[in-house]
């Protein structure tokens, strides 16, 4: 849905009573480490791997992003 023409997205992982306001003109998600296969363990005939990747949330104008708390969600 939207509020005054601004899109609003719900996130089940967000703490109750919190609202994050991100200005997407100045906030970007960048790749710090692209998907990389990393060997974890090698035992006898078995090899274990994981795929890891790191991302950064970059705010070029941090004063444009906000966190609001204390909302009643019941």
């Amino acid at each position: 849905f939207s509020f005054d023409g601004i899109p609003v997205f719900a996130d089940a992982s967000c703490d109750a009573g919190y609202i994050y306001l991100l200005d997407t003109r100045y906030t970007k998600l960048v790749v710090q480490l692209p998907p990389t296969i990393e060997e974890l363990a090698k035992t006898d005939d078995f090899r274990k791997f994981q795929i890891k990747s790191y991302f950064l949330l970059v705010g070029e104008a941090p004063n444009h992003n906000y966190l609001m708390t204390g909302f009643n969600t019941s």
Side-chain angles (χ1 to χ4, degrees), residues 6-74:
I6 300 170
V8 176
F9 302 96
D11 184 350
S13 300
C14 185
D15 293 333
Y18 280 57
I19 294 177
Y20 293 91
L21 305 166
L22 302 175
D23 189 341
T24 56
R25 290 177 296 178
Y26 302 107
T27 305
K28 297 177 176 75
L29 187 64
V30 296
V31 177
Q32 182 182 18
L33 177 70
T36 305
I37 297 175
E38 181 179 76
E39 187 169 2
L40 297 175
K42 185 177 180 181
T43 57
D44 299 327
D45 293 337
F46 299 100
R47 298 171 95 180
K48 293 184 179 180
F49 296 90
Q50 73 176 4
I51 298 174
K52 69 178 183 178
S53 184
Y54 296 120
F55 297 92
L56 295 171
L57 185 63
V58 177
E60 296 173 340
N63 57 336
H64 286 244
N65 299 318
Y66 303 95
L67 166 64
M68 299 173 73
T69 63
F71 291 95
N72 184 356
T73 58
S74 60

